[in-house]
C-alpha cells in the first residue's frame, strides 16, 4: 500500500508539474503506468498488522477470521454550465475484522492502524460473535476454498487518474458543457467525473494473503432543454458506462465530441411526438438493456435475496425457492445465455480475488434459456450442493463476496452479469431493419421494479418510432411495462459479437447498513415482441 | 462508545489545530465522528453483526473564488498538514467559481439535546436480545419468517471556519426495522421504529405490527386497474413527503425544471398546491425529530413551515440563489413533520 504521506507528496508534485509542462506529463505517464498483470506486492507493515489482527482473533476463540486493511481514495469534479461547482478529494483507511465463532458472525472495524487497535477490533469481532450465540438458530458453515499466500492483482488501467491535474479534468468537463450549450433551448448542463482508487489487503486464518488495487472511472453529463413557454423540460443523459479503467477511458469517452449530440437529443425531445399507448416490438440498445438485465436478472439471481436474507431491505426474488427453479425456470428463449463473472477486462466488478479470498470463476446463470445458477459466496454455495451434485459440478463459491470498504462487512454482491452474443452477428440497425412496427430505445432512464423483481417499468433516454424497418421519428414519454419471465421469453432476436458493449452502475445499493457496489453488464441489442408501452407524460 | 465521540471542546480543539495548518485566504473545516453497531437477522436467524468507529475531517480551502475540498480519516499532525496542503494545491488549480459566497461568520444556534446514554451504553447482547423479541415469536410459529435490522450509534459533527464560525452537534440514533413474511410466501408485513433514545423503541409493538400485517396480507386477490381511494399508513405517507421535499429547491423551480415551476415564470410559492388539510413543518427542536440545528455550511435551522393549509410557503434557497433573488437563505428542509388531523386510521377505512 502506498504510504498516504508519500502518496500526497507524489501527487502534489505530479499535479503541479503536469499543469505546467506537457513534456513532463508524458514522462510521468510512462513512469506511473502500472506493470501488468500483477499488482504491487503488499507493504510489509500492512502484512504485520493483518497478522496481528488474525492472531488476536484466533487467541480470542475465532474458528475462522479474515482481516481487510483498505484504503480508498475518491476524486470528484462537479460542474454546471460554465462553472465548477466543486472539487472533492477523499481519502479513508482502516481495518475491518470478521470472525466466525461457533457458527455465528461478528465484525468490528477501526480507522486506527496500530497493532493495538487492529488486535482490539479482532477481539471485539469475536466478542460480538459470542454475544450473538444466544440468538443463533442454524450455525453458519463456510465452504472450503484454496488459500492464496502472497498474491497480488491490479485492474486494467493505463493512466492513473491521480496523475492528471484537476485543471485538466475541469477543462474537459467545461468544454463538453460549452458544446452542449450551443444547442438551441438547451439551458442547463451538468457534468461530473467520479474517480475511485481502491487498495485492499486481505488475509485469513486459512493462509491467504492478497494485495489488490483497482481504479474506476465514471464521466457523466446531462443536458436539459426547456421549452420557450416553460410548458415542458426534457433531459438527456450521456451514454457513458462507468468502467474499471483509468484516465484513458475518460478520454476515449469523447465527452466534448459527443456533448452536442446529447444536447440535440434533449432539445428534440421537446417537440417529439408523445407515444401512443399500445403494444409494440421493442428494439433495445445495449446502452439501455444493461439496466433491464441488472434489475430483472442480476438482482433476482442473488442467492441471498432468493433465500430471504434481503427481505427487510433490498427485497426478495421471484426466482425462489431454488429447488423449484434451478433447471426448471424458463427465463427466456433457447439462445439466451446470461453469464456471471468477475473477469471481463475493464468491467467494474472484475477482480482477482473476492473479499473472502476466493478466486472467482465464470458461470452461466441462465443457460440456453433455463435458470442454471445463482450468485454465491462461501457461506451460500453449500445451500445448492444438491444441484451442483446433480449436474456433476463442484460445489464452490463463485467469488461474489464484496465490501464497499474497510468499515463494512463483506457479503454477496453482484458480479458482472451479461447477455452473451447470439450466433449471427446482427447489429442494432439490423434489428431495426427487421422490425415492421416498433420502438427503438437507447440509454437508461428512470425505472420502477417490485421487490421480487417480477413486475417492472422502464423508461430510457431516446425513443424512435420504427415503421417498415426504418426509424421514422423521435418519440417521448415512453415507458414499457413488463413481467420479467414474459418479457425475456418474448425476446426473438439478438445482436452478435460485434454489437456487444458494456453498461453498468457505479452506485448499486444493497444490505443493512447500506453498501454501494459497482457492477458492469455486457449486452447485445435485442428485440422483444409485443410489449406494453405506456405514456408517462399523460396528465389524466 | 461515549469515549470515541468528541465533546464540543475536543472537536473545537481538533478543528483549531487543523485551521492552524492553513495558508489559504479562507478555510472551512469540519469533523465527522461516529461509532455505530448493528445486528441483522433474516430467515429466522442472525446473519451479520458488527461495530465501526471512524472519524474524518474535511478541509475546504479558498484562493479568491477558487476552492477545493479534501477529506481524510488519518488524524496525525503530519497527515492533517498534508491534507490541508493538498486541498490548497487543488484549490489553486481549480477554475474560479462564479457562484462563490463569502464564509458565514459566527452564528447563534438553539442547541438540540439529542444524545442519550441509553443508546451509547448498549452491548451486542442487548441488541441480540432485542432481535429475539421478534425471532422468538416467528421461530415458535409454524408459518412466519422474520428479517430485521437493529442499528444504534452515536455521532458528532462540528464545523469551523476562518471567519470565526463554530457549530457543534452530537446525537445518538437507534433504528429498528422488521419484515415478517408468511412461509407460504404470500403474506408480508413491515414495521419500524426510530428515535435517538433506545428506550423509546418498543420492540414488541414493532413485532406485533409486522406479524399482524403479514398474516392479514396472505392470499391477496388481484384487482382491476382503475381509480381507487387509497389509504396509506403514516410510513408510506412519510416516504412521499420525503420525495416531495427533495424537489423543494427554489433554483430548479425558478429555472423551469421542477414540479414547482410556475409556467408564467418563477415558482409556486404562495399557491395552493395540496389539500388544505396538509401542512409540512421542519423543526430541529421537535421531540420527535431532534435534528441538527444547522446545515452543512453552518446556517442556523429553526422551525419553518414549508406548506401550510395546502399552500406552498417556502422553497429551499441556497445562500447564492437567495442573494441573487433577493431572498433569505433557508437551508434545506431536513427532518420534516406532516401533522395529522382528527380522523383515526380505522375511521378512514
Amino acid at each position: 500500500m502506498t504510504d498516504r504521506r508519500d502518496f500526497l507528496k507524489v501527487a502534489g508534485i505530479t499535479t503541479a508539474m503536469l499543469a505546467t509542462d506537457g513534456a513532463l506529463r508524458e514522462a510521468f505517464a510512462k513512469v506511473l503506468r502500472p506493470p501488468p498483470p500483477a499488482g504491487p506486492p503488499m507493504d510489509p507493515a500492512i502484512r504485520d498488522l493483518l497478522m496481528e489482527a488474525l492472531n488476536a482473533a484466533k487467541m480470542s476463540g475465532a474458528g475462522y477470521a479474515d482481516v481487510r486493511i483498505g484504503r480508498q481514495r475518491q476524486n470528484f469534479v462537479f460542474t454546471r454550465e460554465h462553472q465548477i461547482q466543486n472539487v472533492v478529494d477523499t481519502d479513508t483507511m482502516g481495518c475491518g475484522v470478521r470472525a466466525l465463532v461457533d457458527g455465528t458472525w461478528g465484525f468490528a472495524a477501526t480507522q486506527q492502524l496500530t497493532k493495538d487497535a487492529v488486535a482490539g477490533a479482532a477481539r471485539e469481532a469475536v466478542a460480538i460473535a459470542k454475544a450473538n450465540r444466544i440468538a443463533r438458530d442454524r450455525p453458519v458453515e463456510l465452504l472450503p476454498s484454496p488459500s492464496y499466500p502472497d498474491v497480488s492483482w491490479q485492474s486494467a488501467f493505463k493512466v492513473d487518474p491521480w496523475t492528471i491535474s484537476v485543471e485538466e479534468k475541469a477543462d474537459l468537463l467545461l468544454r463538453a458543457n460549452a458544446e452542449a450549450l450551443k444547442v438551441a433551448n438547451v439551458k442547463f448542463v451538468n457534468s461530473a467525473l467520479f474517480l475511485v482508487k481502491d487498495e485492499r489487503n486481505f488475509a485469513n486464518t486459512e493462509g491467504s494473503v492478497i494485495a489488490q488495487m483497482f481504479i474506476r472511472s465514471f464521466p457523466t453529463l446531462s443536458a436539459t432543454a426547456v421549452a420557450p413557454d416553460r410548458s415542458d423540460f426534457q433531459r438527456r443523459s450521456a451514454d457513458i458506462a462507468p468502467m474499471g479503467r483509468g484516465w484513458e477511458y475518460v478520454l476515449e469517452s469523447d465527452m466534448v465530441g459527443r456533448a452536442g449530440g446529447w444536447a440535440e437529443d434533449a432539445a428534440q425531445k421537446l417537440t417529439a411526438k408523445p407515444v401512443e399507448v399500445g403494444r409494440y416490438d421493442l428494439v433495445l440498445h445495449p446502452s439501455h438493456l444493461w439496466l433491464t438485465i441488472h434489475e430483472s436478472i442480476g438482482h433476482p439471481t442473488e442467492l441471498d435475496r432468493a433465500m430471504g436474507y434481503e427481505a427487510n431491505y433490498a427485497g426478495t426474488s421471484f426466482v425462489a425457492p431454488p429447488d423449484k427453479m434451478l433447471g426448471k425456470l424458463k427465463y427466456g428463449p433457447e439462445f439466451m445465455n446470461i453469464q456471471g463473472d468477475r473477469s471481463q477486462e475493464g468491467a467494474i466488478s472484475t477482480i482477482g480475488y473476492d473479499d473472502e479470498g476466493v478466486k472467482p470463476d465464470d458461470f452461466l446463470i441462465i443457460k440456453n434459456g433455463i435458470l442454471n445458477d445463482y450468485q454465491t459466496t462461501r457461506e451460500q454455495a453449500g445451500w445448492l450442493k444438491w444441484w451442483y451434485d446433480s449436474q456433476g459440478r463442484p460445489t464452490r463459491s463463485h467469488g461474489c463476496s464484496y465490501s464497499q470498504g474497510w468499515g463494512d462487512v463483506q457479503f454477496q454482491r453482484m458480479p458482472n452479469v451479461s447477455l452473451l452474443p447470439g450466433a449471427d452477428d446482427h447489429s442494432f440497425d439490423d434489428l431495426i431493419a427487421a422490425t415492421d412496427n416498433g420502438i427503438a430505445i437507447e440509454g437508461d432512464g428512470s425505472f420502477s421494479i417490485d421487490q421480487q423483481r417480477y413486475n417492472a417499468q422502464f423508461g430510457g433516454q431516446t425513443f424512435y418510432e420504427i415503421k417498415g424497418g426504418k426509424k421514422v421519428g423521435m418519440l417521448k414519454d415512453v415507458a414499457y411495462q413488463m413481467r420479467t419471465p414474459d418479457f425475456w421469453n418474448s425476446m426473438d432476436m439478438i445482436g452478435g459479437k460485434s454489437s456487444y458493449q458494456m453498461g453498468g452502475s457505479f452506485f448499486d445499493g444493497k444490505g443493512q447498513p447500506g453498501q454501494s457496489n459497482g457492477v458492469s453488464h455486457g449486452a447485445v441489442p435485442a428485440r422483444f415482441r409485443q410489449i406494453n408501452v405506456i405514456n408517462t407524460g399523460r396528465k389524466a | 462508545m461515549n469515549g470515541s465521540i468528541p465533546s464540543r471542546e475536543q472537536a473545537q480543539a481538533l478543528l483549531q489545530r487543523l485551521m492552524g495548518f492553513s495558508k489559504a485566504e479562507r478555510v472551512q473545516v469540519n469533523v465527522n465522528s461516529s461509532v455505530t453497531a448493528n445486528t441483522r437477522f433474516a430467515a429466522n436467524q442472525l446473519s451479520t453483526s458488527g461495530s465501526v468507529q471512524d472519524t474524518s475531517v474535511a478541509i475546504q480551502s479558498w484562493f479568491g473564488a477558487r476552492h477545493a475540498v479534501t477529506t481524510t480519516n488519518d488524524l496525525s499532525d503530519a497527515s492533517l498538514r498534508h491534507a490541508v496542503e493538498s486541498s490548497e494545491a487543488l484549490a489553486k488549480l481549480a477554475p474560479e467559481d462564479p457562484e462563490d459566497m463569502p464564509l458565514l461568520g459566527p452564528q447563534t444556534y438553539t442547541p438540540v439535546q439529542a444524545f442519550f446514554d441509553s443508546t451509547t451504553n448498549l452491548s451486542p447482547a442487548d441488541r441480540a436480545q432485542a432481535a429475539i423479541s421478534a425471532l422468538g415469536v416467528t421461530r415458535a410459529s409454524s408459518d412466519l419468517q422474520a428479517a430485521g435490522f437493529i442499528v444504534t450509534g452515536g455521532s458528532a459533527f462540528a464545523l469551523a471556519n476562518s471567519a470565526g464560525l463554530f457549530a457543534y452537534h452530537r446525537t445518538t440514533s437507534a433504528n429498528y426495522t422488521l419484515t415478517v413474511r408468511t412461509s407460504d410466501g404470500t403474506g408480508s408485513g413491515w414495521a419500524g421504529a426510530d428515535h435517538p433514545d433506545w428506550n423509546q423503541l418498543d420492540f414488541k409493538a414493532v413485532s406485533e405490527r409486522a406479524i399482524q400485517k403479514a398474516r392479514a396480507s396472505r392470499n391477496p386477490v388481484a384487482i382491476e386497474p382503475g381509480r381507487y381511494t387509497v389509504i396509506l399508513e403514516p410510513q408510506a405517507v412519510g416516504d412521499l413527503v420525503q420525495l416531495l421535499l427533495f424537489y423543494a429547491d427554489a433554483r430548479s423551480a425558478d429555472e423551469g425544471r421542477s414540479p414547482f415551476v410556475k409556467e408564467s415564470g418563477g415558482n409556486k410559492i404562495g399557491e395552493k398546491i395540496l389539500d388544505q388539510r396538509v401542512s409540512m413543518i421542519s423543526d430541529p427542536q421537535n421531540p420527535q425529530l431532534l435534528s441538527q440545528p444547522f446545515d452543512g455550511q453552518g446556517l442556523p435551522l429553526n422551525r419553518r413551515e414549508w406548506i401550510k393549509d395546502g399552500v406552498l410557503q417556502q422553497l429551499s434557497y441556497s445562500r447564492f440563489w437567495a442573494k441573487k433573488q433577493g431572498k433569505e437563505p433557508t437551508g434545506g428542509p431536513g427532518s420534516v413533520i406532516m401533522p395529522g388531523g382528527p380522523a383515526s386510521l380505522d375511521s378512514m377505512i
Side-chain angles (χ1 to χ4, degrees):
Chain A
M1 177 180 286
T2 320
D3 177 86
R4 189 197 301 257
R5 284 168 228 158
D6 287 349
F7 161 76
L8 288 169
K9 257 186 262 169
V10 172
I13 293 164
T14 309
T15 48
M17 285 181 167
L18 289 177
T20 53
D21 191 324
L24 275 173
R25 178 186 307 155
E26 285 299 311
F28 269 88
K30 278 180 194 155
V31 170
L32 294 165
R33 189 163 294 156
M42 188 179 291
D43 183 323
I46 297 292
R47 181 185 240 282
D48 287 350
L49 288 176
L50 292 172
M51 295 307 141
E52 186 78 20
L54 281 182
N55 192 44
K58 279 190 284 194
M59 297 293 284
S60 307
Y64 167 88
D66 51 39
V67 186
R68 291 174 295 115
I69 293 180
R71 176 182 189 187
Q72 189 177 71
R73 278 166 281 181
Q74 302 182 99
N75 177 226
F76 302 150
V77 182
F78 300 97
T79 76
R80 61 173 292 168
E81 291 90 52
H82 299 293
Q83 68 227 40
I84 300 292
Q85 289 180 292
N86 215 349
V87 177
V88 180
D89 243 21
T90 71
D91 190 349
T92 181
M93 288 170 80
C95 173
V97 185
R98 185 175 68 150
L100 187 61
V101 184
D102 197 16
T104 304
W105 285 119
F107 173 77
T110 176
Q111 72 178 125
Q112 295 173 43
L113 291 178
T114 63
K115 285 193 174 181
D116 284 349
V118 300
R123 285 190 287 271
E124 190 180 347
V126 171
I128 290 172
K130 287 179 176 171
N132 285 336
R133 179 66 179 81
I134 53 167
R136 196 195 84 183
D137 184 15
R138 302 177 300 277
V140 168
E141 289 177 23
L142 271 194
L143 272 181
S145 177
S147 61
Y148 300 96
D150 295 308
V151 293
S152 64
W153 180 90
Q154 186 165 280
S155 66
F157 63 90
K158 290 190 177 123
V159 182
D160 182 341
W162 269 255
T163 66
I164 304 299
S165 74
V166 67
E167 205 173 31
E168 185 172 344
K169 291 168 183 167
D171 178 62
L172 177 79
L173 297 177
L174 291 176
R175 282 191 291 129
N177 292 2
E179 289 301 316
L181 289 167
K182 285 179 185 169
V183 175
N185 292 327
V186 170
K187 303 293 183 196
F188 308 105
V189 55
N190 291 82
S191 61
L193 285 172
F194 297 92
L195 303 163
V196 175
K197 186 171 185 176
D198 192 306
E199 297 170 57
R200 27 190 81 195
N201 299 276
F202 172 93
N204 66 12
T205 46
E206 297 166 343
S208 285
V209 182
I210 301 168
Q212 302 190 92
M213 196 271 269
F214 61 76
I215 280 175
R216 294 173 175 170
S217 302
F218 188 20
T220 69
L221 182 145
S222 86
T224 304
V226 180
D229 64 357
R230 291 167 64 92
S231 60
D232 191 14
F233 64 94
Q234 293 285 342
R235 187 177 296 126
R236 169 58 152 121
S237 298
D239 295 331
I240 306 176
M243 292 293 282
R245 296 180 56 200
W247 184 249
E248 75 284 358
Y249 174 68
V250 176
L251 296 181
E252 285 167 25
S253 301
D254 190 19
M255 296 179 82
V256 179
R258 296 165 71 196
W262 295 317
E264 278 167 18
D265 285 344
Q268 202 183 338
K269 277 161 90 170
L270 289 173
T271 54
K273 188 170 90 173
V275 69
E276 285 180 29
V277 300
R279 289 190 175 269
Y280 294 86
D281 291 348
L282 300 182
V283 179
L284 305 182
H285 192 270
S287 61
H288 169 90
L289 192 55
W290 75 265
L291 182 61
T292 310
I293 294 169
H294 174 85
E295 302 296 347
S296 71
I297 301 175
H299 280 307
T301 58
E302 294 168 324
L303 188 54
D304 54 356
R305 283 184 76 119
M307 299 295 281
Y309 278 68
E310 282 290 328
N312 191 49
Y313 183 67
T316 60
S317 171
F318 79 93
V319 190
D323 59 324
K324 292 196 172 135
M325 294 288 160
L326 282 164
K328 295 172 185 158
L329 176 66
K330 187 173 180 295
Y331 225 109
E334 201 177 349
F335 58 79
M336 177 183 182
N337 288 292
I338 298 284
Q339 175 176 285
D341 71 67
R342 303 191 68 185
S343 63
Q344 292 183 75
E345 187 172 302
I348 311 181
S349 186
T350 294
I351 196 87
Y353 306 85
D354 79 353
D355 280 342
E356 53 185 6
V358 172
K359 195 169 188 169
D361 64 345
D362 299 353
F363 58 107
L364 283 178
I365 295 171
I366 296 168
K367 184 179 177 184
N368 300 330
I370 306 291
L371 182 76
N372 182 60
D373 216 333
Y374 288 87
Q375 305 156 44
T376 57
T377 63
R378 289 180 66 180
E379 182 180 339
Q380 301 168 339
W383 303 341
L384 302 181
K385 186 174 186 306
W386 62 272
W387 168 248
Y388 298 127
D389 286 349
S390 76
Q391 301 293 299
R393 288 153 57 190
T395 301
R396 57 153 294 173
S397 162
H398 290 310
C400 301
S401 178
Y402 177 85
S403 161
Q404 69 174 4
W406 59 267
D408 299 274
V409 71
Q410 58 271 61
F411 69 129
Q412 194 271 303
R413 297 310 304 268
M414 205 182 289
N416 307 307
V417 173
S418 306
L419 172 63
L420 299 183
D424 299 323
D425 203 15
H426 296 309
S427 67
F428 184 55
D429 289 342
D430 292 341
L431 268 58
I432 290 171
T435 302
D436 189 42
N437 178 32
I439 297 171
I441 303 180
E442 296 180 34
D444 58 87
S446 71
F447 71 95
S448 168
I449 190 162
D450 70 24
Q451 58 96 1
Q452 293 188 312
R453 308 278 142 170
Y454 192 61
N455 293 291
Q457 176 178 314
F458 286 86
Q461 289 297 321
T462 53
F463 316 95
Y464 297 92
E465 187 173 18
I466 303 170
K467 289 280 182 201
K470 290 194 168 53
K471 283 183 181 175
V472 294
M474 190 184 258
L475 298 170
K476 69 175 175 182
D477 304 330
V478 176
Y480 60 89
Q481 295 181 316
M482 59 181 267
R483 187 173 288 155
T484 300
D486 296 347
F487 174 79
W488 285 104
N489 276 289
S490 80
M491 181 168 71
D492 74 338
M493 195 174 179
I494 60 173
K497 205 185 290 179
S498 55
S499 65
Y500 182 83
Q501 74 179 56
M502 292 274 180
S505 167
F506 214 66
F507 306 105
D508 184 34
K510 185 180 171 187
Q512 290 180 304
Q515 293 191 42
S516 179
N517 178 36
V519 58
S520 291
H521 299 280
V524 289
R527 185 174 70 176
F528 299 82
R529 305 303 294 260
Q530 293 301 294
I531 303 299
N532 196 46
V533 168
I534 60 168
N535 182 320
T536 57
R538 215 161 62 165
K539 298 226 163 72
Chain B
M1 189 191 286
N2 265 325
S4 304
I5 303 296
S7 65
R8 183 184 178 87
E9 292 70 28
Q10 288 169 325
Q12 193 157 21
L14 173 62
L15 294 182
Q16 288 300 333
R17 184 155 64 95
L18 198 51
M19 285 202 291
F21 298 130
S22 172
K23 295 184 177 63
E25 292 169 11
R26 291 179 285 155
V27 63
Q28 182 155 296
V29 293
N30 71 54
V31 56
N32 205 337
S33 183
S34 66
V35 178
T36 60
N38 67 76
T39 298
R40 194 177 195 208
F41 52 97
N44 274 354
Q45 75 159 353
L46 282 188
S47 51
T48 55
S49 180
S51 73
V52 186
Q53 168 272 322
D54 195 14
T55 298
S56 63
V57 295
I59 306 106
Q60 187 160 17
S61 301
W62 277 262
F63 293 93
R66 302 170 190 271
H67 57 93
V69 182
T70 302
T71 76
T72 180
N73 72 341
D74 181 345
L75 305 181
S76 65
D77 265 0
S79 165
L80 295 181
R81 187 178 286 115
H82 281 291
V84 170
E85 288 169 1
S86 174
S87 87
E88 290 170 358
L90 287 171
K92 284 176 181 168
L93 288 171
E96 291 197 351
D97 175 2
E99 298 185 6
D100 184 47
M101 294 289 292
L103 292 173
L104 274 179
Q107 304 287 312
T108 304
Y109 308 111
T110 311
V112 173
Q113 165 38 30
F115 199 87
F116 293 85
D117 290 340
S118 58
T119 307
T120 59
N121 293 335
L122 287 171
S123 71
D126 293 327
R127 292 194 310 277
Q129 284 294 352
I132 288 173
S133 71
L135 290 172
V137 179
T138 56
R139 283 177 186 164
S141 75
S142 58
D143 65 334
L144 299 173
Q145 293 271 316
F149 183 60
I150 300 163
V151 57
T152 60
S155 65
F157 177 75
L159 178 74
N161 68 31
S162 52
L165 178 141
F166 178 73
Y168 173 86
H169 177 70
R170 66 173 188 163
T171 185
T172 51
S173 61
N175 177 278
Y176 177 45
T177 56
L178 175 68
T179 300
V180 175
R181 295 185 301 147
T182 57
S183 303
D184 63 6
T186 69
S188 179
W190 182 95
D194 184 90
H195 200 276
D197 179 0
W198 169 263
N199 289 335
Q200 299 296 314
L201 267 55
D202 186 340
F203 287 88
K204 189 161 174 285
V206 169
S207 298
E208 286 170 354
R209 206 157 70 245
I211 289 169
Q212 186 273 329
K213 282 195 211 172
R215 288 193 165 136
S217 62
R218 266 182 301 197
N219 301 315
V221 292
I223 56 169
E224 289 303 314
R227 292 183 178 269
Y228 293 87
T229 297
V230 177
I231 296 170
L232 302 179
E233 67 168 350
Q235 176 69 41
V237 177
D239 290 351
L240 295 176
V241 167
Q242 263 181 21
L243 276 180
L244 182 75
L245 291 177
F246 182 76
Y247 292 101
D249 175 42
R251 182 175 187 171
S252 298
D254 293 341
E255 289 177 341
R257 45 174 177 165
S258 135
F260 301 111
V261 171
K262 193 172 179 176
E263 286 192 13
S264 56
N267 57 52
K268 289 187 175 171
I269 290 179
E271 291 193 10
K272 187 167 179 301
I273 59 167
L274 293 171
D275 185 282
Q276 65 182 12
R277 286 166 290 189
V278 177
S279 295
M280 293 181 193
I281 300 152
S282 62
D283 182 4
Q285 304 287 331
N286 184 300
Q288 287 178 279
L289 299 176
L290 296 179
S291 54
Q292 186 170 291
F294 53 90
D295 75 359
Q297 299 302 307
L299 196 68
L301 299 176
N302 294 304
R303 186 178 190 280
R304 188 178 291 279
E305 289 182 322
W306 298 85
I307 295 169
K308 185 181 182 186
D309 302 334
V311 176
L312 183 65
Q313 303 291 315
Q314 186 67 61
L315 289 171
S316 164
Y317 283 85
S318 67
R319 292 178 59 223
F320 168 75
W321 199 247
K323 186 182 170 203
K324 192 171 164 68
Q325 302 292 92
K327 307 274 187 183
E328 283 296 308
T330 62
S335 300
V336 170
I337 275 194
M338 177 176 143
S344 69
L345 183 61
D346 287 342
S347 70
M348 289 166 78
I349 291 170

